[in-house]
Amino acid sequence: MDVGTRQFPGPKRRIHPVATVPLSSPAAESRLPGIALAFGVAAIAYGLGRLMPLVGGAVCGIVLGILVRHLAAPSARFQPGIRFASKQVLQWSIIALGFGLSLTQVAHTGMESLSVTLATVAAAGLAAWGLGKLLRVHDMLKLLVGVGTAICGGSAIAAVVPIVKPDEHDTAFAISTIFLFNLVAVLTFPAFGHWLGLSDLGFGLWAGTAINDTSSVVAAGYSYSHAAGDYATIVKLTRATLIIPICLVIALVVAWKEKRGGATDFSLAKIFPWFILWFLVASAIRTAGVIPEAALPVIHFIAECLIIVALTAIGLSADLRRMASTGPRPILLGLGVWAAVALTSLLVQHLIGRW
């Protein structure tokens, strides 16, 4: 297949994010080996993530999954459970993340950082499209790298995966690329911030809008100052809410492509990201104060574990040889998009006097 002309795949059977299967059913029993494998590898990844907080459990999970698949590929009996974990559990993890997001706080901080956030999102989209076309990176990988860099790294990629249904190796490659530049940002942003003379709030705004993963934003922000870390974290959580409109827009684009392609069984309900609706419900519950503050760390832990399991399953489905055959172009794409976002954030901050 020509990597320069690959298009979005057609709609597949949608699994409702809250659908369950009785534990005694044949379908559930056939999934158990793969689910157990994903949880087992994810448990190791969780421990490694605690030892290496700059890397994190999610990245450890996807890397360990890829290594297991490469060294001892799971047999066919594991595949149903691995597919379930990489799709269903992935959607559950996004819903669980909603419980940690207060819409009131997002609205307040969002207005302060809106111009910078929108500019960086636009820069990421344009850079992913233009540079991806120049490098001849196929459409799906351009989309994943662009969305991940624009919004919140692995979580954003995880959110769009159920909609566009990419190959597992594309997802793994995109997340690995995003992580690489997250790590570079954590190590270099504080030094650049001091060199540029950024204030605490100025650096917090830069880190919150130009670094992707939340843990990397926190690491860079607090290494600059406590005030910078606090503000960077809030800006980052505000930026994460853009997952919602981005997913809806992508769903509409996929629907338009399918309808234009003459799909006779087309239905918007099949590709609508229903889990985003539940994400909003979870955020509304958090905003209403229904959940006790003491329960929030537990919910955050559950969300973190679920996303590690899901990304581990994606790694178990990824083909390292196919990833290697892609060559350096996706890495160059990730570098270009990341640089565009970082520079755009600084430029807009300078223009609006938030230095």
Side-chain angles (χ1 to χ4, degrees), residues 9-350:
K12 299 181 181 179
R13 181 175 62 90
R14 177 178 61 85
I15 301 176
H16 195 280
V18 296
T20 57
V21 178
L23 292 179
S24 59
S25 71
E29 291 176 1
S30 69
R31 292 170 180 164
L32 287 178
I35 292 174
L37 176 62
F39 269 85
V41 177
I44 299 172
Y46 177 83
L48 291 174
R50 285 292 176 266
L51 295 174
M52 300 181 291
L54 287 182
V55 178
V59 172
C60 288
I62 203 163
V63 171
L64 283 179
I66 291 171
L67 289 176
V68 170
R69 162 70 186 260
H70 181 68
L71 298 174
S75 63
R77 66 187 290 261
F78 291 94
Q79 298 311 312
I82 291 174
R83 285 194 297 270
F84 179 85
S86 66
K87 294 179 174 63
Q88 188 83 353
V89 175
L90 186 62
Q91 295 183 22
W92 291 343
S93 70
I94 298 300
I95 295 169
L97 287 173
F99 287 106
L101 199 62
S102 171
L103 297 178
T104 302
Q105 189 178 46
V106 164
H108 176 72
T109 308
M111 295 307 297
E112 295 180 347
S113 60
L114 182 62
S115 58
V116 181
T117 300
L118 291 179
T120 55
V121 170
L126 290 173
W129 176 78
L131 188 58
K133 197 169 185 178
L134 181 66
L135 293 170
R136 290 181 299 158
V137 175
H138 65 72
D139 290 349
M140 192 64 71
L141 199 49
K142 280 191 292 188
L143 173 68
L144 295 178
V145 171
V147 168
T149 306
I151 305 177
C152 52
S155 297
I157 292 173
V160 302
V161 162
I163 303 171
V164 299
K165 300 177 177 64
D167 290 342
E168 283 78 2
H169 87 284
D170 281 346
T171 305
F173 211 130
I175 292 176
S176 301
T177 300
I178 294 296
F179 160 72
L180 172 63
F181 296 109
N182 275 338
L183 185 59
V184 172
V186 170
L187 298 175
T188 61
F189 266 44
F192 275 116
H194 288 298
W195 179 63
L196 291 169
L198 292 174
S199 66
D200 290 339
L201 295 185
F203 182 82
L205 181 57
W206 187 38
T209 54
I211 303 177
N212 307 314
D213 184 70
T214 302
S215 60
S216 300
V217 170
V218 170
Y222 283 105
S223 68
Y224 196 81
S225 72
H226 188 82
D230 286 346
Y231 194 68
T233 302
I234 297 172
V235 170
K236 175 64 183 64
L237 292 176
T238 304
R239 178 178 160 208
T241 60
L242 292 178
I243 289 177
I244 299 165
I246 290 292
C247 284
L248 293 176
V249 168
I250 291 173
L252 290 174
V253 171
V254 172
W256 175 74
K257 283 179 175 289
E258 293 303 322
K259 191 171 183 180
R260 189 183 65 170
T264 56
D265 60 345
F266 166 76
S267 170
L268 182 60
K270 289 182 180 180
I271 51 87
F272 185 83
W274 296 102
F275 65 95
I276 290 295
L277 180 61
W278 290 107
F279 174 90
L280 275 174
V281 170
S283 298
I285 292 172
R286 166 74 171 89
T287 305
V290 175
I291 302 173
E293 289 292 326
L296 293 178
V298 177
I299 295 174
H300 175 75
F301 172 75
I302 293 172
E304 181 184 9
C305 289
L306 288 175
I307 202 164
I308 292 174
V309 170
L311 294 180
T312 298
I314 288 173
L316 289 168
S317 305
D319 189 332
L320 186 59
R321 293 182 180 85
R322 286 186 64 189
M323 292 174 64
S325 68
T326 307
R329 290 175 297 173
I331 302 295
L332 294 175
L333 173 63
L335 172 62
V337 176
W338 175 68
V341 167
L343 293 174
T344 299
S345 177
L346 286 175
L347 176 61
V348 176
Q349 283 182 242
H350 179 71

